[in-house]
Amino acid sequence: MAEGKSLPADLSDRGVTAQIAGAVLHPPGSGWAWLAVLGASGLLVAMLLVSIFWLFFKGVGVWGINIPVNWGIAISNTVWWIGIGHAGTFISAVLLVTGQHWRNSLNRFAEAMTLLAATCAAMYPVLHLGRPFYFYWVIPYPNVMHVWPQFRSPLEWDMFAFFTYLTVSLIFWYVGMIPDMAALRDTATGRRRVVYGLMALGWRGSAAHWARWRRAYVIVAAIAVPLVVSVHSGVALLFAVGPIPGWHSTIFPPYFVLGAVFSGFAVVVMLAIVLRTVFGFRNLITDRHMDLLGQWLLATGLMTSYGYVMDAFTAWYSAEPFERGTLLDRVAGPYALSYWSAVVLNFVPLQMLWLPRLRRTMPVMFAVALAVTLGMWFERYMLVESALSRDFLPSSWGPYVPSLWEWMLFFGLVGFFLFAFTLFVRFLPAVPIAEVKEVLHEEREG
């Protein structure tokens, strides 16, 4: 492969179609590996359903939340899941608008990751409600009772952010997939041909179709670009506008956004390595793609580390006793384990990515990405729980211990993510056919 090029020079258009469509229509191997992953994740989904049923039957009292910690890992997991989805929007929309064509081998499964992560995040606020069947009360719809949401509440801002994020991400994902559905339609047989034909919306590949598709794709991408900043900024303001020590800081919006993209890139790295290994996509998701992902992971990690330093500095420099108390709880108090786990897992293994050779070594990249994913979970847990457990009234201080049902719900949602993603790679193209061909043609023409 020539230096600076994303794809091998001997790759052909027919080879791209055959390889990507073949992974959907004729998966490699006997399919036992796919069935094993589907079955294992299905067991976790069953655990998720049991935990949700028990939650609805008994109420949120089965969780470990109480006064003063009335937000447990349900809310910290919400922030964590939203963050994971951010890299998909960044890779798909921001890099498309800026003309970075190396994204074309990564954007499809990154967009699927965004949709699934946002779905997991959206479940938590509804399940956290004392009356989840009234979740639609936060939607400003006309009604005879004149019950309107409180638009000054950050909870309302989150509702708009969630709904917009899911809607735009779904439209962007589907619009980009229309030419590939036509390619699968022309290759498949039987019922699949009918299904893919309906999803292709009558695509025939004419010049008019391509021109309108490109225009619509770029327009939706331009709409999605502000979501990279706005969605997690809204989540950050949910914390920052409150007077709770450890949250009341103007650094939270950029701090949360950078941390979200950081964790999202980590999950993209792991998914890319799995697809390269299982489906043999090494000629489509090349070492150069992994090198660029490693650079982005390193850059966003260093930006996130700046947020860690400034968050601690502003708490100390404020000379406000409760702010300093929260900082001490995190550094050397009851939440020191989660704080230092976040620091070590997020930034110590990350330093290996300074070396280009290690950025192209898949076991190293997978280990670093896994460490970052776990480290960001510890960070979200530490930020939420440490601030609530000790507020301004020492009489109301109290510890928080997650219950078994909270852990079951969390691991069940991880299983739901894996289950849905496993179905996605089996029935839809995980790598975009048309956009990979576009890069191939551009690189041939120099």
Side-chain angles (χ1 to χ4, degrees):
M1 185 169 64
E3 185 64 30
K5 293 185 178 295
S6 301
L7 300 173
D10 59 349
L11 197 61
S12 65
D13 286 356
R14 181 173 296 179
V16 170
T17 303
Q19 185 176 4
I20 300 175
V24 177
L25 302 175
H26 310 288
S30 61
W32 287 108
W34 180 82
L35 288 175
V37 175
L38 188 70
S41 56
L43 292 176
L44 293 176
V45 172
M47 185 171 66
L48 168 67
L49 296 176
V50 170
S51 63
I52 291 177
F53 170 78
W54 190 247
L55 174 67
F56 286 173
F57 183 72
K58 298 291 289 186
V60 293
V62 300
W63 290 352
I65 56 175
N66 207 332
I67 301 300
V69 184
N70 49 15
W71 285 2
I73 61 173
I75 301 301
S76 58
N77 287 340
T78 302
V79 182
W80 183 70
W81 279 115
I82 297 175
I84 288 176
H86 260 55
T89 307
F90 187 92
I91 290 174
S92 299
V94 177
L95 297 184
L96 173 64
V97 172
T98 56
Q100 302 298 316
H101 294 299
W102 62 269
R103 63 173 278 284
N104 289 14
S105 293
L106 309 170
N107 64 302
R108 178 63 49 72
F109 69 87
E111 292 164 12
M113 177 199 73
T114 293
L115 286 172
L116 297 177
T119 302
C120 292
M123 290 185 188
Y124 270 113
V126 175
L127 297 175
H128 193 273
L129 294 173
R131 298 177 179 179
F133 36 85
Y134 290 142
F135 74 94
Y136 61 90
W137 281 10
V138 300
I139 302 173
Y141 66 97
N143 61 90
V144 296
M145 296 182 294
H146 299 287
V147 178
W148 295 97
Q150 175 54 271
F151 290 103
R152 291 179 293 181
S153 169
L155 291 172
E156 192 66 21
W157 309 341
D158 273 354
M159 189 279 297
F160 285 110
F162 268 60
F163 183 77
T164 305
Y165 194 52
L166 276 170
T167 304
V168 174
S169 297
L170 180 61
I171 294 173
F172 189 57
W173 177 70
Y174 183 70
V175 168
M177 203 162 43
I178 291 174
D180 294 352
M181 292 297 99
L184 291 176
R185 174 200 63 199
D186 298 338
T187 309
T189 58
R191 296 178 182 176
R192 285 193 174 192
R193 183 182 182 91
V194 176
V195 174
Y196 292 135
L198 292 174
M199 296 180 68
L201 302 180
W203 179 273
R204 289 294 180 267
S206 66
H209 283 187
W210 280 110
R212 291 166 183 166
W213 174 80
R214 171 60 62 179
R215 189 179 302 116
Y217 200 34
V218 173
I219 289 173
V220 179
I223 296 173
V225 167
L227 296 179
V228 177
V229 178
S230 63
V231 173
H232 227 56
S233 294
V235 175
L237 290 172
L238 177 64
F239 296 88
V241 299
I244 304 297
W247 289 355
H248 196 60
S249 173
T250 55
I251 200 175
F252 262 41
Y255 176 29
F256 271 48
V257 170
L258 292 172
V261 177
F262 181 41
S263 61
F265 267 107
V267 178
V268 169
V269 167
M270 291 191 289
L271 294 177
I273 293 173
V274 170
L275 292 176
R276 278 169 51 103
T277 304
V278 174
F279 292 100
F281 285 164
R282 293 180 181 85
N283 60 336
L284 300 175
I285 306 174
T286 63
D287 288 346
R288 182 170 182 267
H289 289 107
M290 302 308 300
D291 182 63
L292 290 168
L293 283 176
Q295 293 180 38
W296 275 103
L297 189 63
L298 178 62
T300 53
L302 295 176
M303 295 176 191
T304 305
S305 67
Y306 174 79
Y308 273 63
V309 173
M310 293 310 298
D311 185 48
F313 173 76
T314 52
W316 170 81
Y317 190 69
S318 67
E320 208 281 325
F322 292 99
E323 289 284 346
R324 286 187 173 182
T326 301
L327 177 62
L328 290 176
D329 285 341
R330 294 172 178 175
V331 175
Y335 294 93
L337 177 62
S338 58
Y339 180 84
W340 291 111
S341 295
V343 171
V344 172
L345 290 173
N346 281 333
F347 307 120
V348 174
L350 187 70
Q351 305 312 311
M352 291 190 290
L353 300 186
W354 287 101
L355 302 176
R357 178 174 59 85
L358 294 182
R359 292 199 299 267
R360 295 169 180 258
T361 304
M362 296 307 105
V364 172
M365 284 288 288
F366 192 91
V368 172
L370 180 60
V372 170
T373 305
L374 295 175
M376 291 305 295
W377 185 90
F378 278 110
E379 181 213 280
R380 304 313 191 194
Y381 176 82
M382 173 268 299
L383 284 175
V384 174
E385 322 311 341
S386 63
L388 289 174
S389 62
R390 296 193 178 188
D391 55 14
F392 294 104
L393 296 174
S395 60
S396 64
W397 290 358
Y400 166 72
V401 179
S403 70
L404 173 64
W405 295 104
E406 287 175 286
W407 289 117
M408 287 178 61
L409 184 63
F410 171 58
F411 288 114
L413 277 175
V414 173
F416 169 80
F417 178 88
L418 295 175
F419 185 84
F421 192 84
T422 305
L423 292 176
F424 159 72
V425 299
R426 178 63 181 84
F427 296 106
L428 294 173
V431 176
I433 299 173
E435 294 177 72
V436 169
K437 289 181 180 179
E438 179 184 3
V439 176
L440 195 61
H441 280 255
E442 289 184 358
E443 291 184 349
R444 283 175 181 171
E445 296 170 3

